[in-house]
Amino acid sequence: MVFNPHKLGVHKLLKHIPLNAIFDAPSKARLRKAVNIADLRLCAKQRAHKMVFDYLDAGADDEISLRRGKDAYSELEMHFHILSGLKPPLDLSTKIFGKDVKLPFFGCPTAGNRMFHWEGETAAARAAQHHGTLYGLSSLATTGITEIGKLTDGPKVFQLYVWKDRELVKDVLAKAKEGGFDALALTVDFTWYGNRERDIRNDFSIPPKYSVNQMIEAIKKPAWTYDFLSHDAYTYACINTEVPADSLAAFVNSQIAPEFDWKDAEWLLGEWNAPSAVKGVCRPDDAIRAVETGFTTMWVSNHGARQLETSPATIDVLPSIREAVGPDVEIILDGGVQRGTDICKALALGADSVGVGKPYLYGLAAGGTEGVIKAYDILKVELDRAMGLLGTGTVDELKKRGPGLIKKRNGSVRDYPDRYAYERGYGGGVI
């Protein structure tokens, strides 16, 4: 019999022994001192189980695309205007999926948030509500659609994988509509599972396998471990709340449909009949076909560099996709974003809004709701500063004038951080 503390009811006992605040005190102190996303990454690394942190932090294969995705922003220069007559704070409001938001960036829908912190998706939803921006919920979330709807009354996008079972798809779509979700994002770059070698080395599993090595790592991270042991076992709540995440994993793998094609996409759009994004676009010809198929939004993404190794940096392909679909089709970009300046460059080069994944998940793993809000705070201040110094007072102005403000230069060793950058989480160009 496999040891499982939740099946033994350990969490029912520990939830009445409130030691979380004691174990979390060092984490909260570190979080208060964080000044950028790289700092949040280190806070997350110090709090989370190694297996969990590496799952969040990793890319596919040799992590070349992961590094390139960050390096690509270093090769973009910002040619600023002077004497623009601007003063802070600037107006960062825009529209995403036709809905008004106060920020042009948001947290991407990501699976299994309770793995990082017991608050899980509720922390990200509260941060979205706090900052007045879009919230994205994964179909493999560990918090249900109804609960999320109670936490944020702002715009929401529901992410869906390419499932085989159409009845399952219909059921999930019906729940999303009933839960007040405004848009659908179909993830199309996950037809095979990427080769994430850190996970293999760590023997990653949900929940942990309670091997000797995993238990040793758990002892090293008492805040994460006590959170995990003192709360209910998590489930993939948008699909079946009765099935634990470990049992459902095999079901999910069996449901991914590699053969899903454009005809299946047409059927899906017919079932949804509302704003929709195709998430995972990196080619202009695919973007054109997606528009012809009926998608209203192109989501330029390579799945956080976690799927096809040596896939291009999304910021590099963005201008060609904007040129292909024209000025009126909405484009969202994610991938490689670590700074507000990165968001500024993406908006200037053709994105209407920007999704961030790792930055807010580092905040979540570091400190729950407080950590996610801090991640958004950091990026908001950096974006405001970048736009002001660039000489653009609104998001619309940045998008209109952007192509003339951002220029690409040939990379050099001077573009990249020092030899300690890897420890800080930069992940690329280390010398």
Side-chain angles (χ1 to χ4, degrees), residues 381-411:
V381 170
E382 291 180 348
L383 175 60
D384 183 272
R385 181 188 303 117
M387 287 175 56
L389 291 173
L390 195 60
T392 53
T394 66
V395 173
D396 283 343
E397 183 183 2
L398 174 60
K399 291 193 291 187
K400 289 176 183 177
R401 297 171 55 198
L405 300 173
I406 309 298
K407 301 183 185 298
K408 189 166 186 176
R409 67 187 298 275
N410 293 325

Side-chain angles (χ1 to χ4, degrees), residues 79 114 130 153 224 230 278 281 285:
H79 290 240
R114 284 187 58 204
H130 177 84
D153 56 9
W224 180 91
S230 62
V278 55
V281 177
D285 52 355

Side-chain angles (χ1 to χ4, degrees), residues 225-393:
T225 301
Y226 197 82
D227 270 357
F228 176 75
L229 293 176
S230 62
H231 290 88
D232 292 340
Y234 39 84
T235 63
Y236 290 131
C238 295
I239 299 177
N240 189 339
T241 58
E242 301 302 319
V243 180
D246 55 334
S247 300
L248 194 59
F251 167 74
V252 169
N253 289 333
S254 70
Q255 276 297 320
I256 291 292
E259 69 275 14
F260 195 100
D261 61 16
W262 291 104
K263 290 184 179 179
D264 295 311
E266 288 179 8
W267 171 83
L268 177 67
L269 294 178
E271 293 294 318
W272 179 248
N273 286 317
S276 57
V278 55
K279 184 177 183 293
V281 177
C282 75
R283 294 178 56 94
D285 52 355
D286 279 342
I288 291 171
R289 185 160 187 181
V291 172
E292 293 171 346
T293 301
F295 287 98
T296 59
T297 300
M298 303 299 104
W299 195 321
V300 182
S301 175
N302 63 7
H303 212 90
R306 297 162 68 82
Q307 287 296 101
L308 179 62
E309 177 65 302
T310 67
S311 58
T314 53
I315 191 67
D316 285 344
V317 300
L318 173 62
S320 65
I321 292 174
R322 171 53 74 196
E323 182 180 6
V325 301
D328 299 325
V329 174
E330 181 178 38
I331 294 180
I332 296 170
L333 175 135
D334 69 42
V337 174
Q338 299 288 295
R339 289 279 190 178
T341 50
D342 299 340
I343 296 172
C344 185
K345 291 171 183 178
L347 295 171
L349 291 178
D352 293 295
S353 62
V354 175
V356 297
K358 285 182 171 66
Y360 91 87
L361 290 177
Y362 290 143
L364 174 62
T369 300
E370 183 181 354
V372 181
I373 289 176
K374 180 147 192 175
Y376 282 26
D377 285 339
I378 289 169
L379 294 173
K380 178 181 178 181
V381 170
E382 291 180 348
L383 175 60
D384 183 272
R385 181 188 303 117
M387 287 175 56
L389 291 173
L390 195 60
T392 53

Side-chain angles (χ1 to χ4, degrees), residues 24 27 31 40-41 43-45 47-48 52 56 108 110-127 135 142-143 224 227 357-376:
D24 251 335
S27 300
L31 183 62
L40 287 183
R41 177 186 177 274
C43 291
K45 186 176 184 179
R47 186 185 186 278
V52 169
L56 159 58
C108 293
T110 53
N113 284 189
R114 284 187 58 204
M115 181 195 329
F116 309 115
H117 190 280
W118 72 268
E119 292 182 71
E121 290 83 4
T122 65
R126 291 187 181 100
Y135 174 73
T142 46
T143 304
W224 180 91
D227 270 357
K358 285 182 171 66
Y360 91 87
L361 290 177
Y362 290 143
L364 174 62
T369 300
E370 183 181 354
V372 181
I373 289 176
K374 180 147 192 175
Y376 282 26

Side-chain angles (χ1 to χ4, degrees), residues 113-173:
N113 284 189
R114 284 187 58 204
M115 181 195 329
F116 309 115
H117 190 280
W118 72 268
E119 292 182 71
E121 290 83 4
T122 65
R126 291 187 181 100
Q129 176 74 10
H130 177 84
H131 279 285
T133 192
L134 179 77
Y135 174 73
L137 183 69
S138 168
S139 54
L140 294 182
T142 46
T143 304
I145 291 171
T146 301
E147 186 174 354
I148 291 298
K150 295 176 181 177
L151 295 174
T152 174
D153 56 9
K156 295 179 284 293
V157 58
F158 184 76
Q159 176 274 335
L160 184 70
Y161 293 101
V162 287
W163 301 124
K164 292 178 181 177
D165 187 342
R166 288 194 171 186
E167 293 305 313
L168 170 66
V169 171
K170 288 180 181 179
D171 181 58
V172 171
L173 293 183

